[in-house]
Amino acid sequence: MPLVKKGAIVADSFTHAVDDSEIPVEGAALIPAVRFLADPEALVARNSPTGVIWPNNRDLDELVPYLDKLAVVALVFPTFRDGRAYSQARLLRERYGYKGELRATGQVLRDQFVLMLRAGFDAFEVKKDADAEAFAATVKRYTVFYQPTGDGRITALHRRMQARHAESAR
């Protein structure tokens, strides 16, 4: 499955530790929420990057104590009609100040990509190579937005105000 990160198609360095598969001792691992919460202290103490796959029907309050120790939080879009992961992403970025990789997984579709970026996602697991190429191109296409969000981009209003301030300072 292609991974798009910061506008480029990259190899996923994280092993997905699904169901009862063994969690690797070495190397980056993405761990399902249920397995992670069974022993979070041991998993965040690993000597390798650790991430968690967090379903959109699970309360983020269970995850918040471990955010500073997680390299990746992968939020799940089980269907394209279910947008709860958007809210989770904004909460993680804006309320909880999560700075690590925020990955969209599941039904990650082209027409929702810009909104996912604006919600704070910076990595995307997509199902088709053609979608991965479109996602990578889209990151570079949009540079200015009107509404502020948790993606850290400066809004059109703030750019205009900065330009006026710089002009008046001359």
Side-chain angles (χ1 to χ4, degrees):
M1 191 174 309
L3 180 67
V4 179
K5 189 172 177 180
K6 298 186 176 159
I9 301 168
V10 300
D12 189 355
S13 61
F14 280 78
T15 300
H16 291 243
V18 294
D19 300 325
D20 294 334
S21 65
E22 193 170 325
I23 296 170
V25 176
E26 303 262 333
L30 264 175
I31 302 161
V34 172
R35 289 187 71 187
F36 178 80
L37 291 173
D39 193 3
E41 297 301 332
L43 292 171
V44 295
R46 294 173 70 242
N47 287 331
S48 297
T50 301
V52 65
I53 302 166
W54 202 258
N56 68 2
N57 62 353
R58 191 147 203 148
D59 192 345
L60 284 177
D61 289 339
E62 297 175 275
L63 184 62
V64 170
Y66 311 102
L67 286 177
D68 61 334
K69 297 173 181 88
L70 291 171
V72 175
V73 174
L75 299 177
V76 181
F77 287 88
T79 70
F80 70 91
R81 295 181 308 266
D82 190 339
R84 291 177 284 181
Y86 289 109
S87 299
Q88 288 176 318
R90 292 216 41 198
L91 287 169
L92 286 169
R93 292 288 192 214
E94 296 174 25
R95 181 180 294 171
Y96 301 116
Y98 181 65
K99 301 290 185 216
E101 178 183 310
L102 195 54
R103 185 181 292 196
T105 65
Q107 292 295 314
V108 178
L109 305 177
R110 263 189 217 203
D111 60 342
Q112 298 172 334
F113 179 64
V114 173
L115 184 56
M116 289 177 177
L117 275 173
R118 298 294 290 147
F121 289 100
D122 55 6
F124 308 88
E125 285 182 5
V126 296
K127 297 192 185 302
K128 301 177 191 170
D129 290 335
D131 285 345
E133 292 166 12
F135 280 29
T138 301
V139 170
K140 298 169 186 132
R141 185 177 307 143
Y142 298 100
T143 58
V144 179
F145 294 95
Y146 289 104
Q147 300 85 6
T149 63
D151 69 357
R153 293 187 198 207
I154 188 167
T155 64
L157 173 64
H158 285 94
R159 283 181 187 240
R160 199 170 340 142
M161 291 171 60
Q162 285 177 339
R164 283 184 187 160
H165 182 358
E167 193 174 291
S168 67
R170 289 185 209 164

